Amino acid sequence: MATQILIGTGLILLNTLLAVLFFWALTATLLRLRNWAVKPPHGLRLGLLTLGSVLWLQAMLSLCTWFWALCFFFIGLFETMEEAVYFAIICFTTLGFGDVILGEEWRLLSGMAAANGLLHFGTVTAMLVEAFRRIRLEQTQGVLD
């Protein structure tokens, strides 16, 4: 059990560090593009920012999932990388189909991967909502002034 907790904690810390770096880079980019973002045409600019932001954050979520998959594979929990990636995606997204499961001696890792994914998806959602709420507010204030 201690091994699972140590491995899971290490992966959660690694994923959190990765997320912080991705969030920092996205925030810096959005701040740099602020003046451009609030100029008309608003819809097109907001659409481009949304597309770029979502793709950037999807890349982050994918990398986080890959860290779990690589761990599962190198520990020897799965025979193929495809199976390890599939399981990591199912856990990280909290789908939990149940068609592929870990053995009893490693099952805590699946819960830790799910908790990690749940927090990451919540954080990504909160970040996108706040970033685009602020951009949209500044766009409409410029129109109303």
Side-chain angles (χ1 to χ4, degrees):
M1 183 168 89
T3 303
Q4 294 179 74
I5 292 172
L6 286 173
I7 291 170
T9 301
L11 284 166
I12 289 170
L13 291 173
L14 178 65
N15 280 344
T16 302
L17 176 62
L18 181 69
V20 166
L21 293 173
F22 267 73
F23 292 151
W24 171 79
L26 180 59
T27 300
T29 301
L30 291 175
L31 286 172
R32 240 179 284 127
L33 294 173
R34 183 192 163 278
N35 290 335
W36 174 84
V38 298
K39 293 178 186 173
H42 294 146
L44 176 63
R45 292 172 195 270
L46 191 62
L48 290 172
L49 288 173
T50 302
L51 177 64
S53 298
V54 168
L55 290 174
W56 180 251
L57 293 172
Q58 181 60 50
M60 183 269 297
L61 291 169
S62 296
L63 279 173
C64 289
T65 305
W66 270 98
F67 285 139
W68 282 97
L70 289 168
C71 178
F72 294 148
F73 184 73
F74 287 120
I75 289 174
L77 302 180
F78 297 104
E79 291 183 20
T80 66
M81 182 56 99
E82 186 276 334
E83 193 175 25
V85 171
Y86 173 77
F87 183 76
I89 291 169
I90 295 307
C91 284
F92 204 77
T93 58
T94 69
L95 285 174
F97 288 143
D99 55 339
V100 177
I101 59 171
L102 294 180
E104 193 172 309
E105 65 278 4
W106 289 103
R107 66 183 174 189
L108 289 178
L109 282 180
S110 59
M112 293 180 86
N116 189 206
L118 182 65
L119 288 172
H120 272 52
F121 279 98
T123 305
V124 164
T125 302
M127 182 175 187
L128 286 172
V129 167
E130 177 59 16
F132 291 106
R133 183 194 66 80
R134 291 188 67 176
I135 291 170
R136 195 67 191 124
L137 183 64
E138 289 189 38
Q139 285 178 337
T140 56
Q141 282 178 344
V143 171
L144 298 175
D145 289 340

